Amino acid sequence: MTGAGGEIGHALIARLASAGRTIVTIDVAPLDQELAARVHRAVTGSILDRTLLDRLLSEFDIDVVYHLAALLSTRSEFTPLMAHEVNVAGTLNLLEFAQQQGEAHGRPVVFMYPSSVAVYGLPDLATKRRLGPVREDEWAQPTTMYGCNKLYCEQLGRYYTRHYKQLAADTVPRVDFRCLRFPGLISAMTTPAGGTSDYAPEMIHAAARGVPYACFVRPDTRMPFLAMPDAVQALLTLAETPRARVTQCAYNLGAFSPTADEIRALVLAAFPAAEIRFVPDAKRQAIVDSWPAEVDDRAARRDWDFAPAYDMARAFRDYLIPTIRERYR
Ligand code: SER
């Protein structure tokens, strides 16, 4: 698992460790002690370090790669070259790593890749308001470096799975790439860093901590979200789905698509003293305005029975509010 110390990593390690899986992690920052205790080996290092990846290759037999390491969309706009390096060159290194693992095993290595709603790029707000749920093959003209990186890496994954070294006499593709286009994710345990959908989790966590929050998008801003347990469940389910049922390389996922104001209302219902104002940042607003209000996730529901347990009311009532309250007590 790369990027293991990030938001998804936190939740995924807990699930995989409870299921008794042996986990090897790599992250540029040392893993929290609590997480490190649940994994077989926690390596501190970069996915850009090929010598390190070669060492892991010789030391372990890896069946599934969860490649979570990335710079998110807001951060990537400040350092686009570094974002490209980590998000694209890093992914290429991991795909090559998986291919070599697969060649050593003689069977495919499942490669789980979180892509993003950021691969979409709608031309203007009028279009966003007019559209219904957006399908995987529509409107993929991202406006951010992060979105471009994710979209291209989806294609690289497809290449490694279906066409790798297609002219070489004796090379068999050994990567089984599977990708989820996540919407904004909301976790009760962690807050994200450097994303543009961060206003939703930030609003909730700030209210629970009793800290005023200035939301950087307009109240009417709408985009899709998923609660973290559903995101992790989707990764685990798709990783285990028989290959024949996986009919496309990338799947949209969505669960609820609230406006920022609707999120604020639920937060206020739980924390009536919360101070939440709207102070839109025109540039970050433009990024969210280029993302669809809703995604069409029928392919995931059809092919591998994606069925999020949490709609918005249940996510707040049964997961976010009780867990966050406990966390900041
Ligand atoms: N949550 C991510 C971001 O805001 C989208 O993938 O960058």
Side-chain angles (χ1 to χ4, degrees):
M1 187 187 304
T2 71
E7 278 225 284
I8 300 175
H10 262 84
L12 186 58
I13 286 174
R15 283 291 304 273
L16 288 171
S18 305
R21 302 295 293 269
T22 305
I23 311 166
V24 177
T25 64
I26 172 165
D27 198 295
V28 277
L31 222 51
D32 291 356
Q33 276 188 346
E34 198 189 320
L35 284 183
R38 309 202 70 178
V39 308
H40 175 71
R41 174 84 65 82
V43 176
T44 302
S46 169
I47 54 169
L48 298 175
D49 180 350
R50 293 215 203 140
T51 314
L52 175 61
L53 294 178
D54 284 345
R55 224 172 62 218
L56 295 178
L57 204 56
S58 61
E59 213 177 322
F60 297 102
D61 268 348
I62 288 169
D63 297 314
V64 186
V65 173
Y66 291 92
H67 175 41
L68 311 178
L71 263 57
L72 292 183
S73 56
T74 289
R75 169 107 190 265
S76 295
E77 287 313 301
F78 289 102
T79 54
L81 290 187
M82 186 194 279
H84 192 280
E85 196 60 17
V86 173
N87 295 349
V88 176
T91 300
L92 189 62
N93 283 350
L94 263 297
L95 284 165
E96 198 53 40
F97 171 89
Q99 170 68 24
Q100 287 174 31
Q101 275 283 340
E103 285 175 10
H105 297 165
R107 60 177 189 277
V109 169
V110 172
F111 192 108
M112 296 305 299
Y113 184 64
S115 183
S116 165
V117 68
V119 300
Y120 298 106
L122 309 178
D124 50 50
L125 208 45
T127 307
K128 173 164 173 157
R129 292 195 172 126
R130 167 174 67 76
L131 291 176
V134 170
R135 278 201 323 260
E136 284 89 346
D137 58 352
E138 299 175 308
W139 300 102
Q141 270 135 1
T143 68
T144 61
M145 178 51 110
Y146 172 75
C148 292
N149 296 163
K150 288 290 183 188
L151 189 59
Y152 173 58
C153 287
E154 291 183 4
Q155 299 303 315
L156 275 181
R158 190 174 55 82
Y159 168 76
Y160 267 80
T161 297
R162 299 201 191 145
H163 307 293
Y164 181 72
K165 284 195 179 166
Q166 57 196 290
L167 298 183
D170 52 1
T171 306
V172 180
R174 290 294 188 198
V175 177
D176 179 352
F177 180 84
R178 301 165 179 216
C179 157
L180 299 165
R181 284 187 187 163
F182 282 133
L185 299 181
I186 312 182
S187 169
M189 305 305 292
T190 47
T191 41
T196 317
S197 60
D198 295 6
Y199 61 90
E202 282 175 2
M203 200 186 285
I204 307 168
H205 283 260
R209 287 166 50 221
V211 174
Y213 185 67
C215 178
F216 58 81
V217 294
R218 290 185 316 269
D220 68 319
T221 305
R222 193 185 286 286
M223 67 166 286
F225 285 96
L226 190 63
M228 189 58 84
D230 281 329
V232 167
Q233 185 58 54
L235 278 167
L236 295 171
T237 305
L238 182 56
E240 282 175 6
T241 299
R243 180 72 223 176
R245 289 185 64 193
V246 182
T247 64
Q248 54 193 57
C249 101
Y251 288 94
N252 277 341
L253 300 182
F256 42 94
S257 285
T259 62
D261 206 30
E262 286 164 356
I263 299 172
R264 178 175 179 270
L266 280 178
V267 173
L268 282 176
F271 303 101
E275 280 177 57
I276 302 166
R277 289 176 306 135
F278 288 95
V279 185
D281 170 316
K283 291 180 175 169
R284 290 180 96 186
Q285 178 76 57
I287 292 178
V288 187
D289 286 347
S290 78
W291 295 347
E294 271 185 274
V295 288
D296 180 340
D297 59 11
R298 281 177 300 179
R301 292 173 191 264
R302 177 197 67 213
D303 283 1
W304 44 275
D305 307 317
F306 170 64
Y310 294 101
D311 60 15
M312 175 142 113
R314 178 150 186 247
F316 272 77
R317 190 188 62 229
D318 297 349
Y319 168 61
L320 292 169
I321 301 299
T323 318
I324 290 178
R325 263 195 220 288
E326 190 59 32
R327 185 167 171 224
Y328 296 113
R329 238 190 353 188

